[in-house]
């Protein structure tokens, strides 16, 4: 799936950054989404949707690790509420 997200991005630095975010944060994102909706497959859909959104709007995603985690937490919560 990572290759799909990366294919949507033109800039090599942005691709490298998203790849790092994917490997570093995906397990945490899955656990967080599961805590909201208590369904494994839906949790995967939530994380997929967030990475799609990030790929489309890569320039607006915060790069600071603290701000990024808050951004991801908010995105997870919002997508979970949309799905349920």
């Amino acid at each position: 799936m990572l290759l799909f997200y990366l294919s949507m991005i033109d800039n090599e630095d942005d691709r490298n950054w998203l790849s790092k975010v994917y490997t570093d944060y995906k397990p945490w994102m899955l656990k967080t989404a599961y805590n909201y909706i208590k369904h494994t497959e839906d949790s995967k859909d939530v994380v997929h949707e967030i990475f799609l959104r990030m790929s489309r709007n890569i320039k607006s995603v915060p790069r600071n690790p603290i701000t990024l985690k808050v951004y991801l937490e908010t995105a997870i919560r919002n997508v979970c509420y949309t799905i349920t």
Side-chain angles (χ1 to χ4, degrees), residues 1-10 14-16 18-19 55:
M1 228 8 153
L2 177 59
L3 292 177
F4 175 71
Y5 307 131
L6 297 179
S7 70
M8 299 172 69
I9 301 171
D10 296 330
D14 290 340
R15 274 192 224 121
N16 291 336
L18 187 65
S19 178
S55 298

Side-chain angles (χ1 to χ4, degrees), residues 64-78:
N64 177 304
I66 294 169
T67 310
L68 174 63
K69 195 152 187 179
V70 171
Y71 171 91
L72 293 173
E73 174 78 34
T74 303
I76 291 166
R77 184 183 66 236
N78 291 341

Side-chain angles (χ1 to χ4, degrees), residues 12-41:
E12 187 66 31
D13 290 336
D14 290 340
R15 274 192 224 121
N16 291 336
W17 180 80
L18 187 65
S19 178
K20 181 162 177 38
V21 169
Y22 186 86
T23 56
D24 291 350
Y25 289 92
K26 185 181 176 199
W28 171 80
M29 292 171 71
L30 287 168
K31 288 179 194 174
T32 304
Y34 184 82
N35 286 336
Y36 279 105
I37 55 180
K38 306 294 188 221
H39 192 270
T40 304
E41 291 304 313

